Amino acid sequence: MDHHQSYASVGVGGDRFPQWNIQETRDLLMIRAELDPNFMDNKRNKILWELVSTRMKEKGFARSAEQCKGKWKNLVTRFKGCEAMETEAMKQQSFPFYNELKVIFAARMQRILWLEAEAGGAASSSSKKKAALQFSSDDEDDLKEDSEEEKSGGPKKKRKIKGNPQSGNINNQSMNIINGIKEIMEEFMNKQIQMEMRWLKAYEEREEERRAREMEWRQTMEALENERLMMDKRWREREEQWKIREEARAEKRDALITALLNKLTREDS
């Protein structure tokens, strides 16, 4: 038994099914989000669910394709139930994986809009957009078709999607949305450039102010150094004058002593 799973419920015939913990559910949503474009392009997605099951096993969760598909359907149903709530806080409190599902469906809608814009509305139809807006109704249809296929013993014929006469209007709306996004991005880039220019101007002003302060400091230090040199010079000059005066006094004192000794000598003789 895998350490991530805890068996708490018993199904028909005594089979035990492990409960889904939070990390396991988040991994399933992450894998499902990565494969969402493939699910949108393929109506028969049994192989894709097998791939989901394989990736879950790589992460340490032993889940079959049917268990992953059933868990996804349950999460989508709970997500739809939260859509009627008024505030985002209530939605997140009622359904802890609300944000993950919201990101998946928002990315799906964005892909459809870009595909329509690139193909000029010819490569996609309004039914695909409706599927994205109805939050994975294709997954529910796929579950029904799989169950009918198992009962009948053979695959059902694919339903043909008829073109919508209002696809031109939808394409115009898509182009308007894209143009609006481009205008927003251009406005954002202009604001960014203006902010960078203001930042550069402020940086240059601060740099100029710093250079001025540095120059003032250098001038102050040079003045102090010059004053110190002048004081040292004056001190040396005074010391030199003191030595000269001392030497003159010494000479005078020696001369007086010599004269006094000569006088005494003459008196004695």
Side-chain angles (χ1 to χ4, degrees), residues 5-237:
Q5 301 168 350
S6 60
Y7 294 88
S9 59
V10 180
V12 180
D15 295 332
R16 294 184 299 176
F17 296 97
Q19 292 181 341
W20 290 74
N21 58 43
I22 294 177
Q23 184 59 44
E24 187 178 12
T25 305
R26 292 191 189 280
D27 289 341
L28 172 67
L29 290 174
M30 182 178 66
I31 296 170
R32 183 59 177 77
E34 293 175 358
L35 297 175
D36 191 68
N38 303 95
F39 277 93
M40 291 295 295
D41 294 336
N42 298 277
K43 195 68 178 178
R44 299 292 176 181
N45 49 36
K46 188 172 290 186
I47 297 178
L48 292 175
W49 283 115
E50 292 291 343
L51 180 58
V52 173
S53 174
T54 301
R55 290 194 180 180
M56 289 293 290
K57 290 176 182 178
E58 292 175 356
K59 292 181 176 294
F61 302 105
R63 292 292 182 179
S64 65
E66 290 299 323
Q67 287 175 332
C68 295
K69 186 161 56 176
K71 182 62 177 179
W72 169 254
K73 179 181 177 182
N74 178 265
L75 293 171
V76 172
T77 302
R78 292 188 62 185
F79 180 82
K80 288 182 179 181
C82 293
E83 285 298 297
M85 297 181 181
E86 296 181 356
T87 63
E88 292 290 326
M90 293 177 61
K91 295 176 182 179
Q92 295 175 10
Q93 185 176 3
S94 176
F95 183 39
F97 305 103
Y98 177 81
N99 288 335
E100 285 83 348
L101 270 294
K102 186 177 180 180
V103 170
I104 292 174
F105 296 132
R108 178 184 296 183
M109 187 63 192
Q110 187 176 7
R111 283 197 305 272
I112 292 174
L113 290 175
W114 280 110
L115 287 174
E116 287 186 356
E118 291 177 358
S124 58
S125 62
S126 61
S127 60
K128 243 181 187 182
K129 183 181 289 186
K130 185 178 179 182
L133 292 174
Q134 289 180 346
F135 306 116
S136 188
S137 60
D138 286 341
D139 298 295
E140 296 181 359
D141 295 339
D142 182 67
L143 289 173
K144 294 178 182 178
E145 289 176 1
D146 288 343
S147 61
E148 290 176 0
E149 181 179 334
E150 290 175 359
K151 291 179 181 179
S152 60
K156 289 182 69 179
K157 294 182 179 179
K158 293 185 178 179
R159 294 174 294 178
K160 294 183 179 180
I161 301 175
K162 297 181 179 180
N164 192 334
Q166 297 180 351
S167 60
N169 295 332
I170 294 174
N171 182 49
N172 292 334
Q173 294 176 0
S174 301
M175 292 302 296
N176 291 334
I177 293 173
I178 294 173
N179 291 332
I181 293 174
K182 288 182 179 179
E183 292 177 359
I184 293 173
M185 292 300 296
E186 290 177 358
E187 183 179 359
F188 174 76
M189 292 301 296
N190 290 332
K191 288 183 179 180
Q192 286 291 111
I193 293 173
Q194 293 176 2
M195 289 177 61
E196 289 181 1
M197 292 297 293
R198 288 196 297 269
W199 182 84
L200 286 174
K201 184 178 180 181
Y203 173 77
E204 290 176 356
E205 291 176 354
R206 290 194 299 269
E207 188 66 16
E208 188 67 25
E209 185 179 353
R210 185 191 65 80
R211 285 196 293 265
R213 288 197 302 267
E214 184 178 357
M215 182 64 66
E216 183 180 359
W217 177 81
R218 288 180 180 274
Q219 292 175 354
T220 303
M221 294 302 296
E222 288 178 359
L224 291 173
E225 182 66 17
N226 292 333
E227 184 178 358
R228 188 190 67 81
L229 292 175
M230 291 297 296
M231 291 178 64
D232 186 64
K233 183 179 180 181
R234 287 195 295 269
W235 180 81
R236 290 181 182 277
E237 289 176 353

